[in-house]
Short mmCIF file of all heavy atoms in Angstrom, two decimals:
data_model
loop_
_atom_site.label_atom_id
_atom_site.label_comp_id
_atom_site.label_asym_id
_atom_site.label_seq_id
_atom_site.Cartn_x
_atom_site.Cartn_y
_atom_site.Cartn_z
N MET T 1 10.37 1.83 29.90
CA MET T 1 9.03 2.23 29.59
C MET T 1 8.98 3.56 28.93
O MET T 1 9.75 4.50 29.29
CB MET T 1 8.29 2.31 31.00
CG MET T 1 6.84 2.64 30.85
SD MET T 1 6.05 2.83 32.42
CE MET T 1 6.24 1.20 33.18
N LYS T 2 8.16 3.72 27.87
CA LYS T 2 8.05 4.99 27.18
C LYS T 2 7.34 6.00 28.00
O LYS T 2 6.38 5.65 28.82
CB LYS T 2 7.32 4.78 25.86
CG LYS T 2 8.04 4.04 24.87
CD LYS T 2 7.39 3.95 23.57
CE LYS T 2 8.18 3.24 22.41
NZ LYS T 2 7.43 3.16 21.34
N LYS T 3 7.57 7.38 27.82
CA LYS T 3 6.89 8.36 28.46
C LYS T 3 5.58 8.61 27.82
O LYS T 3 5.54 8.69 26.54
CB LYS T 3 7.69 9.71 28.39
CG LYS T 3 8.89 9.68 29.25
CD LYS T 3 9.74 11.01 29.02
CE LYS T 3 9.74 11.80 30.20
NZ LYS T 3 10.54 12.97 30.04
N THR T 4 4.50 8.65 28.59
CA THR T 4 3.15 9.04 27.98
C THR T 4 3.20 10.38 27.46
O THR T 4 3.69 11.32 28.10
CB THR T 4 2.12 8.84 29.09
OG1 THR T 4 2.17 7.52 29.63
CG2 THR T 4 0.81 9.16 28.54
N LYS T 5 2.58 10.54 26.26
CA LYS T 5 2.45 11.93 25.64
C LYS T 5 0.94 12.20 25.49
O LYS T 5 0.23 11.40 25.04
CB LYS T 5 3.07 11.92 24.24
CG LYS T 5 4.53 11.78 24.28
CD LYS T 5 5.07 11.67 22.88
CE LYS T 5 6.13 10.60 22.88
NZ LYS T 5 6.31 9.92 21.63
N ILE T 6 0.57 13.45 25.92
CA ILE T 6 -0.80 13.85 25.78
C ILE T 6 -0.83 15.13 25.01
O ILE T 6 -0.21 16.17 25.34
CB ILE T 6 -1.48 14.00 27.19
CG1 ILE T 6 -1.47 12.72 28.09
CG2 ILE T 6 -2.96 14.54 27.08
CD1 ILE T 6 -1.83 13.02 29.45
N ARG T 7 -1.80 15.14 23.95
CA ARG T 7 -1.86 16.39 23.16
C ARG T 7 -3.25 16.75 23.02
O ARG T 7 -4.12 15.88 22.68
CB ARG T 7 -1.31 16.13 21.73
CG ARG T 7 -1.36 17.42 20.90
CD ARG T 7 -0.68 17.08 19.54
NE ARG T 7 -1.38 16.01 18.66
CZ ARG T 7 -2.34 16.37 17.82
NH1 ARG T 7 -2.70 17.63 17.62
NH2 ARG T 7 -2.88 15.44 17.12
N ALA T 8 -3.62 17.98 23.32
CA ALA T 8 -5.01 18.44 23.18
C ALA T 8 -5.06 18.85 21.69
O ALA T 8 -4.50 19.87 21.21
CB ALA T 8 -5.29 19.71 24.07
N THR T 9 -6.01 18.05 21.03
CA THR T 9 -6.21 18.40 19.60
C THR T 9 -7.09 19.62 19.51
O THR T 9 -7.84 19.97 20.46
CB THR T 9 -6.85 17.22 18.84
OG1 THR T 9 -8.12 16.97 19.42
CG2 THR T 9 -6.02 16.03 18.99
N ASP T 10 -6.88 20.36 18.30
CA ASP T 10 -7.77 21.49 18.16
C ASP T 10 -9.15 21.16 18.07
O ASP T 10 -9.60 20.36 17.23
CB ASP T 10 -7.33 22.20 16.85
CG ASP T 10 -6.09 23.09 16.94
OD1 ASP T 10 -5.52 23.20 18.12
OD2 ASP T 10 -5.47 23.35 15.87
N ASN T 11 -9.98 21.73 18.98
CA ASN T 11 -11.41 21.50 18.95
C ASN T 11 -11.84 19.97 19.07
O ASN T 11 -12.80 19.72 18.47
CB ASN T 11 -12.09 22.24 17.82
CG ASN T 11 -11.69 23.68 17.71
OD1 ASN T 11 -11.76 24.32 18.81
ND2 ASN T 11 -11.46 24.17 16.59
N GLY T 12 -10.99 19.19 19.74
CA GLY T 12 -11.30 17.75 19.77
C GLY T 12 -10.72 17.15 21.01
O GLY T 12 -10.49 17.72 21.95
N PRO T 13 -10.59 15.80 20.94
CA PRO T 13 -10.14 15.04 22.11
C PRO T 13 -8.75 15.27 22.59
O PRO T 13 -7.94 15.93 21.81
CB PRO T 13 -10.50 13.64 21.66
CG PRO T 13 -10.18 13.69 20.13
CD PRO T 13 -10.59 15.07 19.74
N LEU T 14 -8.40 14.53 23.62
CA LEU T 14 -6.98 14.50 24.06
C LEU T 14 -6.45 13.21 23.51
O LEU T 14 -7.01 12.21 23.55
CB LEU T 14 -6.93 14.37 25.62
CG LEU T 14 -7.45 15.57 26.46
CD1 LEU T 14 -7.42 15.21 27.89
CD2 LEU T 14 -6.57 16.83 26.17
N HIS T 15 -5.36 13.41 22.67
CA HIS T 15 -4.69 12.29 21.95
C HIS T 15 -3.59 11.85 23.00
O HIS T 15 -2.66 12.62 23.27
CB HIS T 15 -4.16 12.69 20.69
CG HIS T 15 -3.46 11.61 19.91
ND1 HIS T 15 -2.51 11.97 18.98
CD2 HIS T 15 -3.72 10.31 19.92
CE1 HIS T 15 -2.14 10.77 18.48
NE2 HIS T 15 -2.71 9.67 19.01
N VAL T 16 -3.74 10.52 23.38
CA VAL T 16 -2.79 10.00 24.34
C VAL T 16 -1.92 8.95 23.69
O VAL T 16 -2.50 7.99 23.20
CB VAL T 16 -3.47 9.54 25.59
CG1 VAL T 16 -2.46 9.11 26.64
CG2 VAL T 16 -4.35 10.59 26.14
N GLN T 17 -0.69 9.07 23.72
CA GLN T 17 0.22 8.06 23.20
C GLN T 17 1.07 7.36 24.24
O GLN T 17 1.40 8.07 25.23
CB GLN T 17 1.18 8.68 22.05
CG GLN T 17 0.38 9.15 20.87
CD GLN T 17 1.25 9.86 19.91
OE1 GLN T 17 1.70 11.04 20.24
NE2 GLN T 17 1.50 9.21 18.77
N ASP T 18 1.41 6.12 24.08
CA ASP T 18 2.32 5.39 24.95
C ASP T 18 1.61 5.19 26.26
O ASP T 18 2.18 5.49 27.28
CB ASP T 18 3.67 5.96 25.08
CG ASP T 18 4.47 5.94 23.71
OD1 ASP T 18 4.26 4.88 22.96
OD2 ASP T 18 5.11 6.88 23.42
N VAL T 19 0.27 4.80 26.21
CA VAL T 19 -0.53 4.60 27.42
C VAL T 19 -0.06 3.39 28.13
O VAL T 19 0.05 2.34 27.43
CB VAL T 19 -2.05 4.56 27.08
CG1 VAL T 19 -2.86 4.32 28.26
CG2 VAL T 19 -2.52 5.64 26.29
N ASN T 20 0.15 3.42 29.43
CA ASN T 20 0.52 2.17 30.13
C ASN T 20 -0.66 1.72 30.90
O ASN T 20 -0.85 0.48 30.96
CB ASN T 20 1.56 2.70 31.21
CG ASN T 20 2.86 2.99 30.55
OD1 ASN T 20 3.40 2.29 29.80
ND2 ASN T 20 3.38 4.18 30.90
N GLU T 21 -1.56 2.61 31.44
CA GLU T 21 -2.72 2.09 32.10
C GLU T 21 -3.82 3.28 32.23
O GLU T 21 -3.35 4.46 32.35
CB GLU T 21 -2.24 1.67 33.58
CG GLU T 21 -3.37 0.94 34.35
CD GLU T 21 -2.93 0.41 35.67
OE1 GLU T 21 -2.04 1.12 36.32
OE2 GLU T 21 -3.22 -0.64 36.12
N LEU T 22 -5.01 3.01 32.25
CA LEU T 22 -6.07 3.89 32.47
C LEU T 22 -7.07 3.29 33.33
O LEU T 22 -7.48 2.16 33.21
CB LEU T 22 -6.81 4.18 31.03
CG LEU T 22 -7.93 5.15 31.10
CD1 LEU T 22 -7.57 6.57 31.42
CD2 LEU T 22 -8.73 5.27 29.75
N LEU T 23 -7.34 3.96 34.36
CA LEU T 23 -8.23 3.54 35.43
C LEU T 23 -9.55 4.31 35.36
O LEU T 23 -9.71 5.46 35.08
CB LEU T 23 -7.67 3.77 36.85
CG LEU T 23 -6.29 3.16 37.07
CD1 LEU T 23 -5.78 3.48 38.47
CD2 LEU T 23 -6.32 1.71 36.84
N ASP T 24 -10.75 3.62 35.84
CA ASP T 24 -12.05 4.20 35.81
C ASP T 24 -12.23 4.91 37.19
O ASP T 24 -11.21 4.99 37.98
CB ASP T 24 -13.14 3.19 35.55
CG ASP T 24 -13.34 2.18 36.57
OD1 ASP T 24 -12.75 2.36 37.71
OD2 ASP T 24 -14.03 1.18 36.35
N GLY T 25 -13.31 5.37 37.45
CA GLY T 25 -13.62 6.11 38.69
C GLY T 25 -13.49 5.37 39.92
O GLY T 25 -13.45 5.79 41.03
N LEU T 26 -13.58 4.00 39.69
CA LEU T 26 -13.40 3.08 40.92
C LEU T 26 -11.91 2.51 40.95
O LEU T 26 -11.77 1.58 41.62
CB LEU T 26 -14.41 1.98 40.90
CG LEU T 26 -15.86 2.47 40.94
CD1 LEU T 26 -16.86 1.30 40.69
CD2 LEU T 26 -16.06 3.21 42.28
N SER T 27 -11.08 3.13 40.21
CA SER T 27 -9.66 2.68 40.05
C SER T 27 -9.52 1.24 39.45
O SER T 27 -8.56 0.56 39.79
CB SER T 27 -8.91 2.69 41.48
OG SER T 27 -8.93 4.01 41.93
N GLN T 28 -10.58 0.88 38.70
CA GLN T 28 -10.41 -0.38 38.01
C GLN T 28 -9.83 -0.10 36.64
O GLN T 28 -10.16 0.79 35.96
CB GLN T 28 -11.82 -0.96 37.79
CG GLN T 28 -12.41 -1.37 39.08
CD GLN T 28 -11.66 -2.31 39.95
OE1 GLN T 28 -11.28 -3.32 39.49
NE2 GLN T 28 -11.36 -1.99 41.20
N PRO T 29 -8.95 -1.01 36.14
CA PRO T 29 -8.32 -0.76 34.88
C PRO T 29 -9.28 -0.92 33.76
O PRO T 29 -10.07 -1.79 33.75
CB PRO T 29 -7.21 -1.89 34.84
CG PRO T 29 -7.54 -2.80 35.83
CD PRO T 29 -8.39 -2.12 36.88
N LEU T 30 -9.27 0.01 32.85
CA LEU T 30 -10.04 -0.09 31.51
C LEU T 30 -9.05 -0.71 30.51
O LEU T 30 -7.86 -0.38 30.44
CB LEU T 30 -10.37 1.33 31.06
CG LEU T 30 -11.43 1.99 32.01
CD1 LEU T 30 -11.59 3.49 31.54
CD2 LEU T 30 -12.74 1.25 32.07
N LYS T 31 -9.57 -1.45 29.52
CA LYS T 31 -8.87 -2.10 28.51
C LYS T 31 -8.51 -0.99 27.51
O LYS T 31 -9.46 -0.33 27.03
CB LYS T 31 -9.58 -3.21 27.81
CG LYS T 31 -8.78 -3.93 26.79
CD LYS T 31 -9.48 -5.01 26.26
CE LYS T 31 -8.53 -5.74 25.19
NZ LYS T 31 -9.28 -6.83 24.47
N VAL T 32 -7.31 -0.73 27.25
CA VAL T 32 -6.86 0.35 26.25
C VAL T 32 -5.73 -0.14 25.47
O VAL T 32 -5.04 -1.07 25.70
CB VAL T 32 -6.44 1.65 27.04
CG1 VAL T 32 -7.54 2.29 27.75
CG2 VAL T 32 -5.25 1.32 27.99
N GLU T 33 -5.71 0.52 24.25
CA GLU T 33 -4.69 0.37 23.35
C GLU T 33 -3.54 1.22 23.74
O GLU T 33 -3.57 2.07 24.62
CB GLU T 33 -5.04 0.62 21.86
CG GLU T 33 -6.29 -0.19 21.45
CD GLU T 33 -6.04 -1.64 21.32
OE1 GLU T 33 -4.91 -2.06 21.02
OE2 GLU T 33 -6.93 -2.46 21.55
N ASN T 34 -2.38 1.10 23.02
CA ASN T 34 -1.28 2.01 23.23
C ASN T 34 -1.54 3.51 22.98
O ASN T 34 -0.90 4.41 23.56
CB ASN T 34 -0.09 1.49 22.43
CG ASN T 34 1.17 2.22 22.73
OD1 ASN T 34 1.53 2.44 23.94
ND2 ASN T 34 1.93 2.75 21.64
N GLU T 35 -2.58 3.70 22.08
CA GLU T 35 -2.88 5.10 21.65
C GLU T 35 -4.33 5.17 21.80
O GLU T 35 -5.07 4.43 21.30
CB GLU T 35 -2.42 5.24 20.24
CG GLU T 35 -2.77 6.49 19.69
CD GLU T 35 -2.19 6.65 18.20
OE1 GLU T 35 -2.49 5.63 17.39
OE2 GLU T 35 -1.49 7.67 17.83
N ILE T 36 -4.90 6.29 22.54
CA ILE T 36 -6.19 6.48 22.75
C ILE T 36 -6.56 7.96 22.49
O ILE T 36 -5.67 8.80 22.57
CB ILE T 36 -6.65 5.95 24.07
CG1 ILE T 36 -5.91 6.69 25.21
CG2 ILE T 36 -6.55 4.51 24.24
CD1 ILE T 36 -6.38 6.42 26.74
N TRP T 37 -7.87 8.20 22.39
CA TRP T 37 -8.40 9.57 22.30
C TRP T 37 -9.45 9.72 23.38
O TRP T 37 -10.37 8.98 23.42
CB TRP T 37 -9.07 9.88 20.91
CG TRP T 37 -8.03 9.98 19.89
CD1 TRP T 37 -7.60 11.10 19.34
CD2 TRP T 37 -7.38 8.97 19.19
NE1 TRP T 37 -6.61 10.90 18.35
CE2 TRP T 37 -6.40 9.59 18.13
CE3 TRP T 37 -7.42 7.54 19.20
CZ2 TRP T 37 -5.69 8.91 17.34
CZ3 TRP T 37 -6.52 6.85 18.33
CH2 TRP T 37 -5.71 7.47 17.40
N LEU T 38 -9.20 10.74 24.31
CA LEU T 38 -10.17 10.91 25.43
C LEU T 38 -10.99 12.10 25.12
O LEU T 38 -10.51 13.20 24.84
CB LEU T 38 -9.37 11.10 26.71
CG LEU T 38 -8.46 9.88 27.18
CD1 LEU T 38 -7.60 10.28 28.33
CD2 LEU T 38 -9.36 8.71 27.46
N CYS T 39 -12.25 11.97 25.46
CA CYS T 39 -13.26 12.96 25.28
C CYS T 39 -13.03 14.27 26.28
O CYS T 39 -12.70 14.06 27.39
CB CYS T 39 -14.66 12.49 25.48
SG CYS T 39 -15.96 13.79 25.40
N ARG T 40 -13.07 15.47 25.65
CA ARG T 40 -13.10 16.55 26.52
C ARG T 40 -14.13 17.54 26.39
O ARG T 40 -14.18 18.63 26.83
CB ARG T 40 -11.70 17.33 26.57
CG ARG T 40 -11.27 17.87 25.30
CD ARG T 40 -9.89 18.45 25.37
NE ARG T 40 -9.41 19.01 24.13
CZ ARG T 40 -9.06 20.23 23.88
NH1 ARG T 40 -9.03 21.04 24.85
NH2 ARG T 40 -8.65 20.77 22.75
N CYS T 41 -15.04 17.16 25.36
CA CYS T 41 -16.22 17.97 25.11
C CYS T 41 -17.34 17.56 26.08
O CYS T 41 -18.34 18.43 26.21
CB CYS T 41 -16.68 17.87 23.66
SG CYS T 41 -17.50 16.38 23.30
N GLY T 42 -17.28 16.42 26.64
CA GLY T 42 -18.44 15.97 27.56
C GLY T 42 -19.57 15.32 26.83
O GLY T 42 -20.55 14.99 27.40
N CYS T 43 -19.48 15.11 25.57
CA CYS T 43 -20.71 14.70 24.76
C CYS T 43 -20.55 13.27 24.32
O CYS T 43 -21.54 12.77 23.76
CB CYS T 43 -21.02 15.63 23.64
SG CYS T 43 -21.37 17.30 24.10
N SER T 44 -19.34 12.56 24.49
CA SER T 44 -19.25 11.29 24.08
C SER T 44 -20.21 10.25 24.70
O SER T 44 -20.50 10.40 25.92
CB SER T 44 -17.82 10.82 24.31
OG SER T 44 -17.64 9.45 23.94
N LYS T 45 -20.70 9.30 24.05
CA LYS T 45 -21.59 8.26 24.54
C LYS T 45 -20.70 7.10 25.04
O LYS T 45 -21.29 6.10 25.42
CB LYS T 45 -22.55 7.78 23.45
CG LYS T 45 -23.44 9.00 22.95
CD LYS T 45 -24.91 8.97 23.53
CE LYS T 45 -25.75 9.92 22.85
NZ LYS T 45 -25.38 11.26 22.91
N ASN T 46 -19.39 7.20 24.85
CA ASN T 46 -18.53 6.13 25.24
C ASN T 46 -17.48 6.76 26.12
O ASN T 46 -16.24 6.44 25.88
CB ASN T 46 -17.94 5.52 24.01
CG ASN T 46 -17.15 4.27 24.25
OD1 ASN T 46 -17.38 3.53 25.19
ND2 ASN T 46 -16.10 4.07 23.43
N LYS T 47 -17.71 7.51 27.06
CA LYS T 47 -16.77 8.18 27.87
C LYS T 47 -15.94 7.07 28.70
O LYS T 47 -16.54 6.05 29.04
CB LYS T 47 -17.39 9.11 28.93
CG LYS T 47 -18.02 10.33 28.29
CD LYS T 47 -18.60 11.19 29.40
CE LYS T 47 -19.30 12.35 28.77
NZ LYS T 47 -20.75 11.94 28.43
N PRO T 48 -14.74 7.28 28.83
CA PRO T 48 -13.97 8.48 28.74
C PRO T 48 -13.41 8.65 27.30
O PRO T 48 -12.69 9.61 27.04
CB PRO T 48 -12.86 8.38 29.71
CG PRO T 48 -12.47 6.93 29.63
CD PRO T 48 -13.89 6.21 29.54
N PHE T 49 -13.82 7.79 26.37
CA PHE T 49 -13.27 7.81 25.05
C PHE T 49 -14.08 8.72 24.08
O PHE T 49 -15.28 8.88 24.33
CB PHE T 49 -13.20 6.40 24.41
CG PHE T 49 -12.46 5.45 25.32
CD1 PHE T 49 -13.03 4.55 26.08
CD2 PHE T 49 -11.09 5.51 25.42
CE1 PHE T 49 -12.47 3.66 26.91
CE2 PHE T 49 -10.35 4.75 26.23
CZ PHE T 49 -11.01 3.78 27.07
N CYS T 50 -13.36 9.32 23.21
CA CYS T 50 -14.00 10.14 22.23
C CYS T 50 -14.79 9.28 21.17
O CYS T 50 -14.23 8.21 20.80
CB CYS T 50 -12.93 10.92 21.42
SG CYS T 50 -13.57 11.86 20.00
N ASP T 51 -16.03 9.70 20.86
CA ASP T 51 -16.73 8.96 19.85
C ASP T 51 -17.03 9.82 18.61
O ASP T 51 -17.97 9.45 17.84
CB ASP T 51 -18.01 8.28 20.35
CG ASP T 51 -19.02 9.35 20.75
OD1 ASP T 51 -18.71 10.54 20.65
OD2 ASP T 51 -20.22 8.96 21.27
N GLY T 52 -16.36 11.07 18.57
CA GLY T 52 -16.71 11.90 17.44
C GLY T 52 -17.77 12.83 17.63
O GLY T 52 -17.97 13.77 16.79
N SER T 53 -18.46 12.81 18.82
CA SER T 53 -19.56 13.69 19.04
C SER T 53 -19.11 15.15 19.10
O SER T 53 -20.01 15.97 18.88
CB SER T 53 -20.26 13.32 20.28
OG SER T 53 -20.84 12.10 20.27
N HIS T 54 -17.82 15.40 19.37
CA HIS T 54 -17.29 16.77 19.42
C HIS T 54 -17.73 17.47 18.08
O HIS T 54 -17.99 18.82 18.07
CB HIS T 54 -15.91 16.89 19.80
CG HIS T 54 -15.05 16.22 18.90
ND1 HIS T 54 -14.74 14.90 19.06
CD2 HIS T 54 -14.34 16.62 17.78
CE1 HIS T 54 -13.94 14.46 18.06
NE2 HIS T 54 -13.68 15.51 17.22
N ASN T 55 -17.65 16.85 17.06
CA ASN T 55 -17.91 17.46 15.74
C ASN T 55 -19.46 17.76 15.63
O ASN T 55 -19.76 18.87 15.07
CB ASN T 55 -17.61 16.47 14.62
CG ASN T 55 -16.14 16.27 14.37
OD1 ASN T 55 -15.37 17.29 14.44
ND2 ASN T 55 -15.65 15.07 14.26
N LYS T 56 -20.34 16.95 16.09
CA LYS T 56 -21.78 17.24 16.05
C LYS T 56 -22.12 18.46 16.88
O LYS T 56 -23.07 19.23 16.51
CB LYS T 56 -22.60 16.02 16.54
CG LYS T 56 -22.44 14.73 15.58
CD LYS T 56 -23.23 13.66 16.13
CE LYS T 56 -22.85 12.38 15.50
NZ LYS T 56 -23.12 11.15 16.20
N VAL T 57 -21.36 18.66 18.01
CA VAL T 57 -21.81 19.78 18.96
C VAL T 57 -20.90 20.99 18.57
O VAL T 57 -21.05 21.97 19.39
CB VAL T 57 -21.79 19.28 20.35
CG1 VAL T 57 -22.67 18.17 20.65
CG2 VAL T 57 -20.33 19.00 20.75
N ASN T 58 -20.03 20.87 17.62
CA ASN T 58 -19.21 21.93 17.25
C ASN T 58 -18.32 22.56 18.50
O ASN T 58 -18.30 23.61 18.75
CB ASN T 58 -20.10 23.21 16.67
CG ASN T 58 -19.20 24.18 15.87
OD1 ASN T 58 -18.20 23.73 15.39
ND2 ASN T 58 -19.57 25.38 15.72
N PHE T 59 -17.80 21.56 19.14
CA PHE T 59 -16.94 21.79 20.30
C PHE T 59 -15.80 22.79 19.89
O PHE T 59 -15.06 22.54 18.96
CB PHE T 59 -16.32 20.48 20.96
CG PHE T 59 -15.36 20.73 22.05
CD1 PHE T 59 -15.70 21.25 23.27
CD2 PHE T 59 -14.04 20.51 21.73
CE1 PHE T 59 -14.85 21.43 24.23
CE2 PHE T 59 -13.03 20.68 22.74
CZ PHE T 59 -13.39 21.13 24.05
N LYS T 60 -15.61 23.85 20.69
CA LYS T 60 -14.45 24.71 20.44
C LYS T 60 -13.59 24.89 21.71
O LYS T 60 -14.09 25.01 22.80
CB LYS T 60 -15.04 26.21 20.26
CG LYS T 60 -15.90 26.15 18.96
CD LYS T 60 -14.92 26.08 17.71
CE LYS T 60 -15.82 26.22 16.48
NZ LYS T 60 -15.32 25.59 15.28
N ASP T 61 -12.27 24.56 21.48
CA ASP T 61 -11.35 24.66 22.57
C ASP T 61 -11.26 26.13 23.01
O ASP T 61 -11.17 27.06 22.25
CB ASP T 61 -9.98 24.29 22.02
CG ASP T 61 -8.92 24.34 23.01
OD1 ASP T 61 -8.88 25.26 23.84
OD2 ASP T 61 -8.14 23.38 23.02
N GLU T 62 -11.41 26.39 24.29
CA GLU T 62 -11.55 27.74 24.89
C GLU T 62 -10.35 28.54 24.35
O GLU T 62 -10.44 29.76 24.05
CB GLU T 62 -11.58 27.67 26.42
CG GLU T 62 -12.85 27.08 26.92
CD GLU T 62 -13.90 28.04 26.99
OE1 GLU T 62 -13.74 29.25 27.07
OE2 GLU T 62 -15.12 27.53 26.73
N SER T 63 -9.13 27.88 24.46
CA SER T 63 -7.99 28.74 24.04
C SER T 63 -7.87 29.06 22.57
O SER T 63 -7.21 29.94 22.22
CB SER T 63 -6.65 27.98 24.55
OG SER T 63 -6.60 26.83 23.77
N ARG T 64 -8.72 28.29 21.77
CA ARG T 64 -8.63 28.59 20.39
C ARG T 64 -9.89 29.34 19.87
O ARG T 64 -9.83 29.89 18.69
CB ARG T 64 -8.60 27.20 19.56
CG ARG T 64 -7.54 26.29 19.90
CD ARG T 64 -6.27 26.87 19.16
NE ARG T 64 -5.18 25.91 19.46
CZ ARG T 64 -4.03 25.99 18.85
NH1 ARG T 64 -3.81 26.98 18.02
NH2 ARG T 64 -3.09 25.14 19.11
N SER T 65 -10.81 29.47 20.64
CA SER T 65 -12.03 30.24 20.30
C SER T 65 -11.84 31.69 19.96
O SER T 65 -12.74 32.29 19.43
CB SER T 65 -13.22 30.00 21.30
OG SER T 65 -12.78 30.60 22.47
N LYS T 66 -10.72 32.18 20.46
CA LYS T 66 -10.44 33.68 20.11
C LYS T 66 -9.96 33.89 18.91
O LYS T 66 -9.68 35.04 18.48
CB LYS T 66 -9.56 34.19 21.19
CG LYS T 66 -10.11 34.06 22.64
CD LYS T 66 -9.21 34.50 23.56
CE LYS T 66 -9.79 34.09 25.01
NZ LYS T 66 -8.76 33.86 26.08
N ASP T 67 -9.67 32.85 17.98
CA ASP T 67 -9.04 33.04 16.73
C ASP T 67 -10.02 33.79 15.87
O ASP T 67 -11.19 33.73 15.76
CB ASP T 67 -8.76 31.70 16.04
CG ASP T 67 -7.73 30.98 16.79
OD1 ASP T 67 -6.97 31.52 17.48
OD2 ASP T 67 -7.61 29.78 16.64
S1 FES X 101 -13.90 15.09 22.37
FE1 FES X 101 -14.71 13.79 20.85
S2 FES X 101 -16.63 13.19 21.66
FE2 FES X 101 -15.89 14.64 23.17
#
């Protein structure tokens, strides 16, 4: 089994590779591909997945906003 990799993209979602399983708040499995993007801006209409809304709200990663 491959190790799951999670990368916080600059001012965007969490990019997750080699996903084995993703559970919802009731511990029910969500249908996912091997590679997914998870929302971290809170504005997606398709949570927990990113729908691109971070661009519309100009989401800035706190650690990057000091640039
Ligand atoms: S990170 Fe993309 S919609 Fe929230």
Side-chain angles (χ1 to χ4, degrees):
M1 183 182 301
K2 291 184 177 179
K3 288 173 112 177
T4 300
K5 294 177 219 149
I6 304 173
R7 181 174 67 89
T9 64
D10 283 348
N11 304 320
L14 297 174
H15 181 205
V16 187
Q17 294 175 288
D18 298 320
V19 177
N20 294 306
E21 188 174 40
L22 179 66
L23 304 177
D24 69 10
L26 298 174
S27 297
Q28 298 301 307
L30 296 171
K31 184 176 180 186
V32 294
E33 304 294 329
N34 185 47
E35 180 178 47
I36 58 175
W37 286 262
L38 297 175
C39 176
R40 66 183 176 123
C41 76
C43 297
S44 174
K45 304 257 186 302
N46 188 32
K47 295 181 186 82
F49 305 103
C50 172
D51 70 356
S53 293
H54 58 274
N55 289 316
K56 295 179 193 158
V57 299
N58 200 24
F59 173 70
K60 296 291 182 204
D61 184 317
E62 295 279 328
S63 66
R64 299 287 185 174
S65 63
K66 297 172 189 154
D67 293 341

